[in-house]
Amino acid sequence: MIFEINERRVIPNWRDFKRTWQLGELNSSLRATNKPLNFNLERAVSDWKTNSNIGNAADLVNSAYVSGLKSSQDVLDAVEFIRANRDQASASLLDLANSFFAEEKSNSQKSLLELDIETVEEFKAFIDKKTLPKLIHKTRIKAHNEFNNPIVWVELARLHSIVGQEEKAEKAISVALNLAPDNRFVLRSATRLFIHNEKFDKALYFLKKSPRTKSDPWLTSAHIATSSIMGRFSTLINSGKSLVIGGNFSSYDLTELSSTLATLELKDGSFKKAKPFIEKATLDPNDNSLAQLEWLSKEDNRIIIDPQSFTNVINPFEAFALDHFQKGNWKEAFNNCLKWFLDIPYSKRPVQLGAYIVGSLLDDNETALFLLKAGMNANPFDPILLNNLTYYHVISNLMDEAIHYFNSLKNIDFHSLSDENKITVQATFGLVAFRSGQIDIGESFYEQSIRSAELLKNDHMRISAILNYTRELIIVKSPKKDHYIDLIDKMEIDDDFNDLITIRKKILGFSNDYHFVEHSDKQ
């Protein structure tokens, strides 16, 4: 399999409402500063300590919430008191106390997942439970019982999207958009769904339609990023820049917009103009902007980012996966891919990267196949997932299963693929031909993929194709194998391509094993 980290944009991540709210992405958009208000809690603390009852606990927690001074032990004690005496607390007070508890928990764990997993076995057990159909049924009933609640319809759309039910997901999100066309959560969720379904015009339509988009940095960012994917100039770029420099929003509210603007400036070739937006994005990043900054740092070595140093970012799995991958820390990278997938299970990027790591670098093809099949739930017709399923079935000598996915892969419109994806598919066609005994055809496809990568000046894909080709030449004992073994042995590989260095070592070891077997046979 040839893996390539494709171009990234700051598209909104889509989670359930509770986790999105806990992450702070739904707070009031107009916050002049990150600093807490000048608010004295001494009296409330004194009253609480003197008489620890529900009323004084409520006064302290409410005061702490308004002031932003949430982290003192007295406040946390009051929160625990309210939660322990829930029968005496109002629903709104209990919700407030629970939000403190969730925030404190997330600050200590840096993780807000629907399910926390520590091992591959736990991941497989979760996927195998097949609980989503039951959850979809339950949510559908709730949506019809609470027809005017847009949040439930958004969640129904998200669940349908996770299992690849595109039409049902769009019907549910349409109801939510009719009920709350200017709601940030609804609009950002709809944007992600339409982009996931490659209906970019629809995403832009609803963003343009809302008068809030121009004044809300979270929505402005989504508009600019969506336009960029489509190769269009966003009419909100200048107003977005004004929002960033205006001083009316917190750094957290501006982080996605700042990273989006930085990406545009770098794409236009201006590091000088990008730099202030990069600096703004790093002040208080969320998981999405941190991943974008990490990706940008690999595109431009003038950008220096250490994702591990941003200790306050919750759900940093994508940035951590990319960082560990770049450094050659395969196990850490793979574990973060699993959590990244569980965080946003409709996304194919954690599946693609995770399968490549565990299959090609950690030699666990079984887990690679399991992860790819899990990704197919939300992306049943994705050509690269079909390609990678074909690849790992072939490598595992499961040719019947491989041909099943290969036949689906042959039916795709090859010309609709990106140039990078064409190279990937060409190489896989070569692999299938080799393993089917059609050596000449296999050589032709591999050599074509190598030439295509050279024309694109994509060294990573070129070297990767050569490495895979060499392995197949060794297996069939082709006369060409010695040339290619010598080629990859002497080949200079960029230090940033730790994955290719690892794979080359495996193939050179593989060639030595084959040489030993051939020599023994001759004896």
Side-chain angles (χ1 to χ4, degrees):
M1 184 176 89
I2 302 175
F3 174 78
E4 181 75 5
I5 299 176
N6 294 322
E7 196 169 20
R8 192 187 190 280
R9 291 291 180 264
V10 193
I11 303 304
N13 282 334
W14 186 11
R15 303 175 175 93
D16 59 89
F17 180 81
K18 179 180 178 181
R19 288 188 297 143
T20 306
W21 175 65
Q22 289 173 331
L23 286 165
E25 296 180 7
L26 302 178
N27 295 337
S28 173
S29 61
L30 191 62
R31 291 189 289 163
T33 175
N34 282 324
K35 297 179 180 178
L37 300 173
N38 185 13
F39 202 100
N40 193 334
L41 294 184
E42 289 182 6
R43 181 169 180 176
V45 170
S46 177
D47 289 345
W48 161 248
K49 285 184 173 180
T50 301
N51 188 3
S52 299
N53 58 37
I54 198 72
N56 287 334
D59 287 343
L60 177 55
V61 170
N62 279 307
S63 297
Y65 180 79
V66 172
S67 68
L69 302 172
K70 303 179 182 180
S71 59
S72 79
Q73 189 58 51
D74 292 316
V75 173
L76 297 178
D77 289 344
V79 166
E80 286 301 323
F81 181 87
I82 292 169
R83 297 181 74 246
N85 295 275
R86 60 183 62 243
D87 56 324
Q88 301 178 44
S90 66
S92 58
L93 177 59
L94 189 58
D95 284 343
L96 181 60
N98 285 334
S99 75
F100 274 68
F101 176 76
E103 183 173 329
E104 181 65 20
K105 182 179 179 181
S106 67
N107 283 341
S108 63
Q109 294 185 349
K110 303 307 166 201
S111 172
L112 281 174
L113 288 173
E114 290 175 286
L115 179 78
D116 283 301
I117 58 100
E118 296 297 333
T119 65
V120 173
E121 288 70 27
E122 288 179 353
F123 175 79
K124 290 182 177 180
F126 171 70
I127 298 297
D128 280 343
K129 284 182 180 178
K130 299 180 180 178
T131 57
L132 277 174
K134 294 179 182 179
L135 186 56
I136 290 172
H137 178 70
K138 180 180 178 181
T139 306
R140 186 186 299 115
I141 292 174
K142 185 176 181 181
H144 285 285
N145 289 338
E146 302 177 22
F147 190 85
N148 292 322
N149 184 348
I151 304 304
V152 181
W153 286 102
V154 171
E155 180 61 8
L156 182 60
R158 190 179 74 94
L159 295 173
H160 279 308
S161 182
I162 290 172
V163 296
Q165 297 172 340
E166 178 181 322
E167 185 176 344
K168 291 181 178 179
E170 290 195 17
K171 284 182 178 179
I173 207 71
S174 295
V175 175
L177 284 164
N178 285 327
L179 291 170
D182 302 318
N183 181 275
R184 181 194 296 171
F185 177 70
V186 173
L187 278 170
R188 280 169 58 84
S189 300
T191 298
R192 183 58 187 252
L193 172 61
F194 290 133
I195 289 176
H196 178 77
N197 293 342
E198 297 187 355
K199 296 182 178 178
F200 309 110
D201 283 318
K202 267 194 169 184
L204 272 187
Y205 170 78
F206 286 104
L207 287 168
K208 287 179 180 178
K209 186 178 178 182
S210 172
R212 182 175 179 176
T213 299
K214 188 175 181 178
S215 58
D216 185 331
W218 295 92
L219 298 177
T220 302
S221 174
H223 185 282
I224 296 172
T226 305
S227 300
S228 178
I229 291 175
M230 301 171 70
R232 294 183 184 177
F233 177 83
S234 171
T235 56
L236 298 186
I237 291 176
N238 288 332
S239 59
K241 292 178 179 179
S242 297
L243 291 175
V244 172
I245 66 176
N248 292 322
F249 296 92
S250 72
S251 296
Y252 186 75
D253 283 326
L254 294 170
T255 187
E256 287 196 9
L257 177 57
S258 298
S259 61
T260 292
L261 293 170
T263 303
L264 287 185
E265 296 293 359
L266 285 171
K267 189 176 182 182
D268 289 340
S270 179
F271 179 78
K272 183 178 179 180
K273 290 181 179 179
K275 188 176 179 181
F277 294 119
I278 293 170
E279 292 172 347
K280 188 70 175 179
T282 59
L283 291 178
D284 192 8
N286 68 351
D287 65 297
N288 199 4
S289 61
L290 183 63
Q292 186 69 14
L293 292 166
E294 169 64 15
W295 180 78
L296 288 175
S297 74
K298 302 302 179 283
E299 297 293 301
D300 192 319
N301 58 18
R302 291 171 292 183
I303 303 171
I304 300 174
I305 295 291
D306 178 14
Q308 314 292 331
S309 68
F310 291 90
T311 56
N312 291 327
V313 176
I314 302 171
N315 289 14
F317 313 123
E318 180 181 357
F320 281 17
L322 295 176
D323 182 51
H324 283 303
F325 177 76
Q326 194 72 22
K327 293 174 180 176
N329 302 327
W330 310 131
K331 289 183 179 180
E332 292 85 350
F334 176 67
N335 288 337
N336 275 283
C337 283
L338 292 184
K339 292 184 179 182
W340 176 13
F341 175 73
L342 288 173
D343 188 27
I344 45 176
Y346 47 83
S347 177
K348 60 189 177 187
R349 292 182 71 240
V351 171
Q352 291 175 351
L353 179 57
Y356 176 68
I357 293 169
V358 75
S360 296
L361 303 172
L362 295 176
D363 299 320
D364 184 353
N365 294 332
E366 181 182 349
T367 298
L369 288 169
F370 185 90
L371 183 56
L372 288 166
K373 289 175 182 177
M376 286 288 288
N377 289 332
N379 305 276
F381 307 110
D382 183 76
I384 297 307
L385 293 183
L386 287 170
N387 176 87
N388 298 348
L389 279 163
T390 301
Y391 178 92
Y392 283 113
H393 276 107
V394 172
I395 294 299
S396 302
N397 294 316
L398 300 171
M399 288 304 296
D400 289 343
E401 294 89 337
I403 295 302
H404 167 75
Y405 291 105
F406 182 64
N407 287 335
S408 297
L409 184 63
K410 288 193 296 184
N411 290 329
I412 66 171
D413 179 9
F414 184 77
H415 298 290
S416 68
L417 298 175
S418 68
D419 289 337
E420 290 80 8
N421 287 344
K422 287 176 183 176
I423 295 170
T424 302
V425 172
Q426 284 171 347
T428 300
F429 274 41
L431 172 66
V432 173
F434 261 106
R435 299 297 176 100
S436 301
Q438 300 171 303
I439 309 304
D440 291 343
I441 295 175
E443 290 179 352
S444 176
F445 272 117
Y446 266 118
E447 289 167 8
Q448 186 178 354
S449 71
I450 293 167
R451 286 194 299 271
S452 298
E454 287 173 346
L455 289 172
L456 279 182
K457 298 181 180 180
N458 189 317
D459 279 346
H460 190 278
M461 299 201 85
R462 176 182 63 84
I463 296 170
S464 193
I466 291 172
L467 292 172
N468 278 276
Y469 184 27
T470 304
R471 182 196 59 235
E472 296 308 305
L473 291 172
I474 294 168
I475 291 173
V476 298
K477 301 178 182 179
S478 167
K480 294 183 179 181
K481 71 180 187 305
D482 293 330
H483 166 73
Y484 277 92
I485 290 170
D486 186 57
L487 175 66
I488 67 171
D489 187 32
K490 296 176 180 178
M491 182 183 290
E492 292 186 7
I493 299 181
D494 194 303
D495 289 341
D496 289 337
F497 297 163
N498 279 304
D499 56 322
L500 300 184
I501 293 171
T502 298
I503 293 172
R504 174 172 65 177
K505 184 177 179 181
K506 292 175 185 290
I507 291 175
L508 290 175
F510 183 57
S511 69
N512 290 334
D513 291 342
Y514 256 76
H515 177 76
F516 176 77
V517 170
E518 284 185 294
H519 182 74
S520 298
D521 289 343
K522 291 175 183 178
Q523 296 297 321

